[in-house]
Every structure is written in structure tokens, then in C-alpha cells.
Amino acid sequence: MAISVQYPAVTWLVAALLFVYGLVFGSFANVIAYRVPRRESVVWPRSHCVHCHHTLAWWELVPVLSWLALRGRCRKCRTPIAVRYPLLELLTGVLFASAWWQGHTIAQVVVWALFWLYIMMAVGTDLTAMIVPNVLSLPAAVIFLCASGLTHIQSWPNAAMGLVVGFAMVLLVRLLSGGRMGLGDAKLYLAVGAMLGPWLSLLSFVLAALFGSVIGLGLRLAGKLKAGQLVPFVPFIALGVIVTAWYGHALLRVYMQLVGW
């Protein structure tokens, strides 16, 4: 069982440990994000600069800290290293730590951490290549359907219904938008639906659309986004899923109060 909040020192110690693990796995998510869309091995060759192919030393691979020490540039060719790499590592660390409060059992904590790792991998592949590869999304759908039901994150019917509703609602948006919404987003929602259930999945997508609209409008006004330019949508989905996983039930209660239910 998860440690009770009666022991805050232990709780924060475990959360800190999970944060460190999250940083490490976030670094692996960056590897997945770059190599999987290119159908490259994730274990060979060793990590290297994608521009000059300089093989990275161990101290150049420390999550976040190496990027700061190198001032965001390759040590050899001085090519800038995108800030999204340390940001994804940091966010994965935060999400791993949050799993400690989300799970009511150790098994649920592990499942939530793995789910967040999957979401961060999907964010990375979408930012890198604007796809969510089937090799990630389809196995994840089966894994998280089973994991959600077995660990009682959702009941089996709720997990199955969430999987179907999650996929169907994004597929419907894809059809209505004439294909502007990627099919990979719909496949991503197979696992999201299994973990959140139908109602929270719907809320997460509404929030994702809201975040995408607001941020997209801001980018347009700032001149950073041209009319008709496609942008990765998975980061907005991830933001919607995170907010929903943390505050979804409270948001639904507020909404029902506003509409008088």
C-alpha cells in the first residue's frame, strides 16, 4: 500500500526518488522520440550529437544538468540543443513524482508512472516528427486497458468504455475536420480513455482543444504561427490529460454546479 500522509517525510522522500527516476526515464523518452519515428535502434549506436555524430560522454547524458552545463550546445560542434529535451525530462520527473499521490497502491503508482512515460514519449515523437507511431500507441492501448482494470484505477467496464469513447471522439473530430486531426491522436486516446474513463477522457480533450486554441491564438498574434500552418497537437493533449488526471473530478463538480445538475 502507498505510505499514509501521516508520514510526510517518507512521502516526500519517495516522491523525490520518483522524480529522479522520472528524469532518467525522461531522457530515455527523448531517445525514443528521435529514433523510433526514424525506425532506428534505441540501444545502438550510443547516444551522439545528431549533427556532428560526436559520441556523448557519460557526463553529457545527465538529465537536465548536462544541458545546463553545456549551455544548451553540443560540446564539439556547438550546435544548439533544443530546450524541449530538458523540459521533457523535467516534466517526466514531475509526473513520476505525482504518481505517488495518484496511486492508492504501489501497483497503481507504477501504472501511473508508466502511463506518464508513454504520454511523454508521444509528446516527443509528435514534436520531432508530428506522428504517434503505432509501435507505441497500439501496444499501449492493450497494456493500459489491462493495467487499469487489474489495478482498479478504473473498473473493467469503465476502462473499456473509456478506450472506445476516447478513440471514437477523436476519430469523429478527424472526420469532421477533413483529416486535420491526426489518426495518431485518436490511437493515443485508446490508452488515455482506458486510464481516465469516458467522462474524464472527454474533459481532457475539451481542455486540450481549449489550450490549443488559446496558445495557437497567442502564437498567431506574436507572428510565430502562419495561417494554415500545422502544429503538433499531442502536447496540448498531454496538458489536458495532466490537468484532468489531477483536477478532473473537481472540474466536473464545478461544471455540474454551474449547469444546475
Side-chain angles (χ1 to χ4, degrees):
M1 295 295 290
I3 300 298
S4 168
V5 292
Q6 294 176 356
Y7 306 99
V10 175
T11 291
W12 286 103
L13 179 62
V14 174
L17 183 61
L18 284 170
F19 175 76
V20 173
Y21 274 115
L23 292 178
V24 175
F25 279 100
S27 180
F28 178 67
N30 278 324
V31 174
I32 294 292
Y34 183 82
R35 296 193 182 191
V36 168
R38 292 168 173 77
R39 300 185 179 182
E40 297 177 359
S41 169
V42 299
V43 296
W44 185 263
R46 290 176 52 190
S47 296
H48 57 276
C49 172
V50 298
H51 297 282
C52 69
H53 303 289
H54 155 65
T55 300
L56 304 181
W58 69 266
W59 60 270
E60 295 175 279
L61 296 170
V62 180
V64 181
L65 296 180
S66 290
W67 188 88
L68 293 173
L70 294 168
R71 298 182 180 180
R73 292 182 178 273
C74 172
R75 179 166 61 95
K76 290 292 186 180
C77 67
R78 308 306 297 166
T79 299
I81 304 171
V83 71
R84 71 170 181 268
Y85 294 115
L87 287 180
L88 190 142
E89 291 167 352
L90 273 174
L91 184 54
T92 307
V94 170
L95 291 171
F96 265 51
S98 76
W100 182 244
W101 285 278
Q102 287 178 281
H104 299 294
T105 64
I106 296 298
Q108 287 187 0
V109 171
V110 172
V111 171
W112 275 111
L114 291 176
F115 174 71
W116 292 129
L117 176 61
Y118 166 60
I119 293 297
M120 290 299 99
M121 288 178 179
V123 169
T125 58
D126 201 35
L127 289 173
T128 302
M130 292 192 71
I131 62 170
V132 181
N134 288 338
V135 71
L136 293 180
S137 60
L138 298 183
V142 177
I143 290 169
F144 290 110
L145 173 63
C146 295
S148 180
L150 288 171
T151 61
H152 306 292
I153 291 175
Q154 299 288 338
S155 66
W156 282 104
N158 227 34
M161 190 181 302
L163 181 146
V164 173
V165 169
F167 178 80
M169 68 177 179
V170 183
L171 181 62
L172 178 61
V173 172
R174 171 181 168 81
L175 295 174
L176 293 176
S177 66
R180 291 183 64 82
M181 175 73 68
L183 187 58
D185 298 336
K187 295 173 185 176
L188 174 66
Y189 256 92
L190 291 167
V192 171
M195 288 293 290
L196 297 184
W199 290 109
L200 290 183
S201 293
L202 178 60
L203 174 62
S204 73
F205 189 72
V206 170
L207 290 175
L210 178 62
F211 292 139
S213 298
V214 171
I215 295 174
L217 178 61
L219 292 174
R220 283 287 302 276
L221 293 176
K224 302 294 185 180
L225 186 65
K226 299 178 181 179
Q229 180 180 347
L230 297 178
V231 296
F233 190 63
V234 173
F236 302 120
I237 291 177
L239 189 54
V241 171
I242 291 167
V243 172
T244 301
W246 290 353
Y247 306 110
H249 291 292
L251 290 173
L252 284 179
R253 284 195 297 270
V254 170
Y255 174 75
M256 287 188 288
Q257 289 173 359
L258 289 175
V259 299
W261 286 6

